[in-house]
Amino acid sequence: MPASTTTAPVALTAKALLLDMDGTIVNSDAVVERCWRDWALSHGLDPQEAMKVVHGRQGYATMAVLLPDRPMEVNHAENAVMLARETADTDGVIPVAGAPEFMASIDGLPHALVTSADAALATARMTAASLPMPDVRVTAESVRASKPDPEGFLMGAAALGVDPADCIVFEDSAAGITAGRAAGMRVIGVGPRAAAHAPTAHVPDLTSLQVTTTPDGSITITVQPAQ
């Protein structure tokens, strides 16, 4: 289904919400670009080309795409170093526009964080952005396969006790949108990276969303058209 381009509001109803972190509720682009640019240069790669596949994946999976002939154990070892650097570097980490209000609006509603970051990195970035950490979260340690595999989103739905078809995913990257769709979920794409990857609906940031609930526990996300 293509991203919505209508001028009328789009309303999607769900039982639970599954939130990616980087690029979706937390703007960590400054750190990601610093760290991955250095890594790409150290391996003789074009940083601009590298950035095209970094977003949404776990680091070892990104390395496997960029250096396909390298042993996976080397990718995992370098990813551990990368995670430590990214966790220590929170300079420039801020909330995506509208994220504080959005997170406040879903407080008490069924939702989970589903991120390719590990627990330490997720905690560091959510804290730096002054956003509340969801009680339910699926981090890198939780899954066997990185996005674009749907495992993380399916785990999030299972943890919340909700059928995948009754979940809405919020994502910014090609890998994440692919994972959400593969899980049988609708996807609201957030930010400039998301628009080209056929989310169910697209918003430039989280200021365009309105959250309401019904007595039966359903959650309605109304996507306001871009001005």
Side-chain angles (χ1 to χ4, degrees):
M1 182 183 300
S4 172
T5 56
T6 61
T7 56
V10 175
L12 302 175
T13 301
K15 296 293 186 182
L17 310 177
L18 302 178
L19 316 176
D20 173 53
M21 183 180 70
D22 293 302
T24 301
I25 57 176
V26 173
N27 182 344
S28 57
D29 283 1
V31 179
V32 172
E33 290 177 9
R34 276 196 298 273
C35 294
W36 282 95
R37 176 181 175 82
D38 288 350
W39 181 88
L41 290 172
S42 72
H43 290 82
L45 300 173
D46 180 346
Q48 294 302 112
E49 292 302 310
M51 292 309 301
K52 292 178 181 179
V53 298
V54 163
H55 297 289
R57 291 179 172 86
Q58 291 190 42
Y60 76 86
T62 295
M63 294 171 186
V65 171
L66 294 170
L67 297 171
D69 297 326
R70 195 168 74 159
M72 188 59 76
E73 58 266 27
V74 178
N75 296 334
H76 281 287
E78 286 195 6
N79 186 46
V81 176
M82 177 69 76
L83 283 170
R85 178 179 174 185
E86 289 188 283
T87 301
D89 184 356
T90 57
D91 187 25
V93 175
I94 58 174
V96 167
E101 295 81 3
F102 175 72
M103 296 300 289
S105 73
I106 65 172
D107 183 34
L109 302 178
H111 68 283
L113 189 73
V114 182
T115 175
S116 293
D118 66 4
L121 180 56
T123 299
R125 288 186 175 164
M126 293 289 282
T127 300
S130 299
L131 294 176
M133 179 67 82
D135 291 335
V136 178
R137 44 197 177 268
V138 178
T139 58
E141 303 95 330
S142 310
V143 298
R144 293 167 297 178
S146 170
K147 300 172 186 176
D149 191 282
E151 181 186 9
F153 287 124
L154 293 172
M155 288 185 68
L160 294 169
V162 176
D163 188 274
D166 290 326
C167 295
I168 294 175
V169 165
F170 293 78
E171 264 287 359
D172 73 301
S173 70
I177 291 169
T178 299
R181 290 168 64 87
M185 303 173 182
R186 292 152 296 158
V187 181
I188 294 179
V190 180
R193 285 189 290 271
H197 302 291
T200 311
H202 176 258
V203 292
D205 56 41
L206 298 174
T207 63
S208 304
L209 301 177
Q210 180 182 5
V211 181
T212 55
T213 58
T214 59
D216 70 353
S218 294
I219 305 165
T220 298
I221 305 294
T222 301
V223 180
Q224 299 295 334
Q227 299 298 313

